[in-house]
Each structure stands twice: as C-alpha cells, then as structure tokens.
C-alpha cells in the first residue's frame, strides 16, 4: 500500500501509462542547452586551462570522462522526473527526513555564498571591457540585479531562448580560440589515452578535473528544467536522452577547447595563471599580447557569457528546486512534474523569495568580505552534494519507487556507482583540506 504521505512504498510503484513516445528531434532541444550553460562556469574554464598549462594534453581523457560521468547523473535525474511524474525533491523526501535537512542547510548556505561569487565572476569581464566606468563591486551588484529582474519577470521559455543565445556566444568564442592557438592534433589524440601525469598528487588532481567538468546542483535542476519545458511523461524519454547528450557534447567542446588553449598558449610558453576567475583576466592580457586587442575583447565577451549564464541558470534552476522543497514540506504530499510544467512554481512566493536570497544578502558579502567559517561550510556542503545526488539516484532508480521499465540497468548502475565513489573521494579530500584548526 502507499504510505499516508502519498509516497509509494518499495513494493508499489506509480502507474506507468506508457504514452506514445515522441520521436527524437533536434527541434525539441532546450533543457540540455540550459544545463550546459549553467554548469560550465568561469571556474571550470580556469581549472581546464590550468590542467592544460600544467600537463599539456595529458589529461584530455579526464575531461572526456568527466562529461560521461555527468551525462549519467543528468540522465538519471531526468529519467526520474519523466518515469515517475514526481520531482526529485519528492523522491529525496521518500528516503527519509535526513535528505530534507541536508537540502535545507545546503541550499541556504550554498546560495548565500554562491550569489556573491557569481556576481563577482560576471563583473570581472565587464570591468575589463569597460575600464573606468564602474568599480568591480558596482558591476557585481548590477549583474545580480539584472539577473534577479530577468528571472523574476520571465518564464522558462524566454529564459531558455536567452540561454541559447549566450551558449552560442560561448561556443563561437571557445572554438575560435582553440583554432587560433593551432592545436597539435596528434598530441591531442594521444591525450585520449588514460595516462596520469608524473607529478605529486596526480591521481587527486585528475579526479578533481573529472569531477569539475560541468555542473553541481545544476545536474539536479536538470529534471526540473525538463518538466518546465513541458516534458512530463515517459513519451519524452527519447527526447530527453538526446537533449542530455547534446548538453554534455556542448560541455565537452567547451572544456576541450580551453584545454587546447592552456596546452598551446600557456604550457608551451611555460606561463602560469592564477586560480579563480582572475586567471581568465590574465588570459585576456596574454591573448592581447599574442593576437591583438580584438581577440582579447572577443574572449572577454565569451567570459561574460560563461559567467552570466551560470548566474541566471542558478537563479532560475535552484529557485525552482527551492520552491518545490517548500511546497513539499508544507503540503506533505507528492509533488508532480505537471505543476512545474504549468509555470506555477515560477510564480510562487518561495521561488521569488529564494531569488531575493541569492541576490541581496550576497551583496552584503561583496562589501564586507566573506565570513571565514561560512566559506568552510560552503566548501564542505558543495563537495558533499554530488555524492549525495549520485547515491540517492542510485537508490531511487533501483527501487519500486520507479516503474520497472525505467529502473537502472547494469550500465546505469555502474556509472552512478562510479560517480558516487568519485565524488565521495573528492568530498573527503575537500573536507580534509579545510583549515579546521582555525574554524574552532
């Protein structure tokens, strides 16, 4: 029997109505573009650049594996939404109260710190493109407010179109740079062989590159964007899978292109850049010196597109998740993807309240600095989210909560188990590396 909260037990799955499958078609693509744009931020580009700078093409295979791992996670999230008609948070809630507590703490702390980071990242290229107009903090506030207004007043359809345009800008810029630096294709093909660099901590560095390719919480948001697109049943499963592959093919092109730039422009000249978003500003200076001011400005436009898509993507996707979390907690009943598809979540007060949380409290951090202990908690919670996602999806998609036809097969189980193990190792490393002695 179903339990009193509306959840099926492990012996009773929701009814599968087997609607007529839609034919896979490029004309339907949308949520995949959104998740690719949101998942690839400035930090991902810097990490890939530094990998190329330090190791040349040696870790190209790791970037490809990273895309394959994230494909499996996003596909699993989308499959849960379509196969069950329920949202991911509703699935988490069925696993126990601990998932609710984890998500609640995560979404509050993570959103507070991420908001400031996203605004600063979007502001850096604007300040470089328009020197002397405003200082960095003013640009950051402007980016946050523009993101707030845009997401507040537009539904998913407009949001997707704008993200698609910005992804087009990102694509053109990164591919142009990869061609401009004239990559050695023979060495690049050799980089597809799984070889570890001969460096200290090479295994952990490699795992970090694999885990850092394209998205964290946005992988969980993918199912919500699938529903927001109007895909709410298994008839859309083929379309979703094509859409998901397009997402991570696009992500792969971004990261491989930036690894080419790092390998050719930085590694060959033995040039180092800083960690963090400022490394991209340094790259802009190097491009101006090597190829001229026009190329540098073109790159900065792509840098802005990369950062701003991550900002508005999180503003929209995580706000959708938070709205679902609040509705599920208040109503204590199963939440359906059809309600997300109707646009009701985007008009709800929890959606807009979380938008405000992502925007205004982080502005305070921009001017007062980020509290040390909060940054440590942010790092730990962020590192814990992906193993949480992988392992809970593994549980949900192997239980009677999912109709038998759409449960995991051996390959999906292997990929989710691999993802969970990978992210658990990275989580332990992240927790271990925190300066706990200064925390207490």
């Amino acid at each position: 029997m179903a339990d009193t909260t509306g959840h099926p037990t492990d012996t009773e799955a929701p009814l599968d109505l087997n609607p007529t499958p839609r034919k896979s078609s490029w004309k339907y693509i949308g949520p995949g573009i959104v998740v690719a744009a949101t998942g690839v931020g400035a930090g991902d580009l810097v990490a890939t650049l530094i990998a190329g700078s330090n190791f040349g093409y040696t870790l190209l295979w790791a970037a490809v594996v990273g895309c394959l791992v994230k494909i499996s996670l996003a596909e699993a999230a989308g499959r849960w939404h379509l196969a069950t008609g329920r949202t991911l948070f509703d699935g988490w809630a069925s696993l126990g109260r601990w998932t609710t507590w984890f998500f609640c703490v995560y979404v509050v702390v993570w959103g507070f710190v991420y908001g400031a980071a996203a605004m600063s990242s979007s502001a850096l290229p604007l300040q470089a493109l328009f020197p002397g107009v405003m200082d960095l903090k003013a640009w950051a506030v402007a980016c946050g407010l523009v993101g707030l207004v845009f997401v507040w007043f537009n539904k998913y359809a407009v949001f997707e179109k704008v993200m698609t345009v910005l992804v087009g800008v990102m694509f053109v810029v990164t591919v142009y740079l990869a061609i401009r630096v004239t990559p050695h294709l023979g060495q690049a093909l050799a980089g597809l062989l799984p070889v570890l660099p001969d460096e200290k901590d090479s295994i952990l560095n490699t795992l970090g590159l694999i885990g850092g390719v394209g998205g964290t919480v946005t992988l969980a948001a993918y199912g919500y964007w699938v529903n927001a697109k109007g895909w709410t049943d298994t008839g859309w499963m083929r379309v979703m899978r094509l859409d998901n592959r397009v997402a991570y093919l696009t992500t792969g092109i971004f990261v491989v292109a930036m690894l080419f730039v790092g390998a050719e422009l930085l590694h060959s000249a033995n040039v180092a850049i800083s960690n963090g978003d400022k490394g991209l500003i340094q790259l802009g200076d190097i491009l101006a010196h090597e190829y001229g001011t026009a190329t540098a400005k073109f790159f900065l436009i792509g840098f802005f597109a990369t950062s701003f898509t991550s900002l508005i993507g999180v503003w929209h996707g995580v706000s959708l998740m938070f709205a679902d979390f609040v509705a599920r907690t208040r109503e204590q009943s199963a939440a359906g993807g059809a309600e997300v598809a109707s646009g009701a979540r985007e008009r709800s007060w929890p959606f807009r309240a979380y938008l405000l949380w992502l925007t205004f409290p982080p502005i305070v951090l921009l001017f007062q600095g980020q509290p040390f202990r909060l940054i440590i908690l942010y790092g730990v919670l962020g590192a814990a989210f992906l193993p949480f996602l992988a392992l809970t999806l593994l549980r949900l998609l192997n239980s009677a909560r999912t109709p038998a036809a759409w449960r995991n097969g051996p390959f999906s189980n292997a990929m989710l188990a691999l993802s969970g193990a990978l992210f658990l190792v990275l989580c332990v490393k992240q927790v271990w590396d925190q300066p706990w002695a200064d925390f207490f």
Side-chain angles (χ1 to χ4, degrees), residues 65-115:
V65 170
C67 289
L68 295 176
V69 167
K70 299 297 179 66
I71 283 175
S72 68
L73 281 168
E75 188 275 340
R79 178 155 45 96
W80 166 264
H81 277 248
L82 295 182
T84 66
R86 296 158 61 191
T87 64
L88 185 54
F89 184 80
D90 192 56
W92 286 338
S94 74
L95 296 176
R97 284 181 144 323
W98 68 274
T99 60
T100 299
W101 285 108
F102 174 82
F103 182 78
C104 180
V105 175
Y106 172 83
V107 81
V108 171
V109 175
W110 182 88
F112 185 41
V113 180
Y114 179 83

Side-chain angles (χ1 to χ4, degrees), residues 203-364:
I203 293 178
L204 288 174
N205 289 333
T206 303
L207 291 178
L209 179 62
I210 293 172
V213 174
T216 51
V217 70
T218 54
L219 291 166
Y222 178 65
Y224 288 85
W225 285 323
V226 163
N227 286 159
K229 179 76 170 175
W231 307 347
T232 58
D233 55 51
T234 55
W236 292 101
M237 197 70 75
R238 290 181 184 175
V239 176
M240 182 276 292
R241 285 171 167 162
L242 174 64
D243 179 75
N244 181 45
R245 293 181 189 119
V246 169
Y248 283 94
L249 175 63
T250 306
T251 298
I253 290 171
F254 291 152
V255 297
V256 168
M258 294 310 289
L259 192 139
F260 282 6
V261 174
E264 295 295 342
L265 191 62
L266 305 178
H267 181 70
S268 58
N270 198 27
V271 175
I273 61 172
S274 302
N275 288 310
D277 300 342
K278 291 184 179 178
L280 293 181
I281 296 296
Q282 288 179 279
L283 178 62
D285 295 336
I286 295 168
L287 288 169
H289 181 264
E290 292 290 331
Y291 303 114
T293 303
T295 297
K297 289 188 178 298
F298 189 50
F299 165 72
L300 289 172
I301 292 170
F303 177 7
F304 172 74
T306 300
S307 297
F308 196 66
T309 51
S310 292
L311 186 151
I312 61 175
V314 167
W315 263 231
H316 187 275
V318 184
S319 296
L320 264 183
M321 294 180 68
F322 182 76
D324 188 47
F325 159 72
V326 172
R328 176 64 186 77
T329 303
R330 284 164 58 92
E331 296 167 13
Q332 294 294 308
S333 60
E339 188 169 358
V340 179
S342 72
R345 290 281 190 261
E346 294 168 278
R347 297 188 297 271
S348 67
W349 70 261
F351 180 91
R352 291 176 170 174
Y354 195 73
L355 272 178
L356 297 174
W357 176 254
L358 282 168
T359 307
F360 290 105
I363 287 175
V364 176

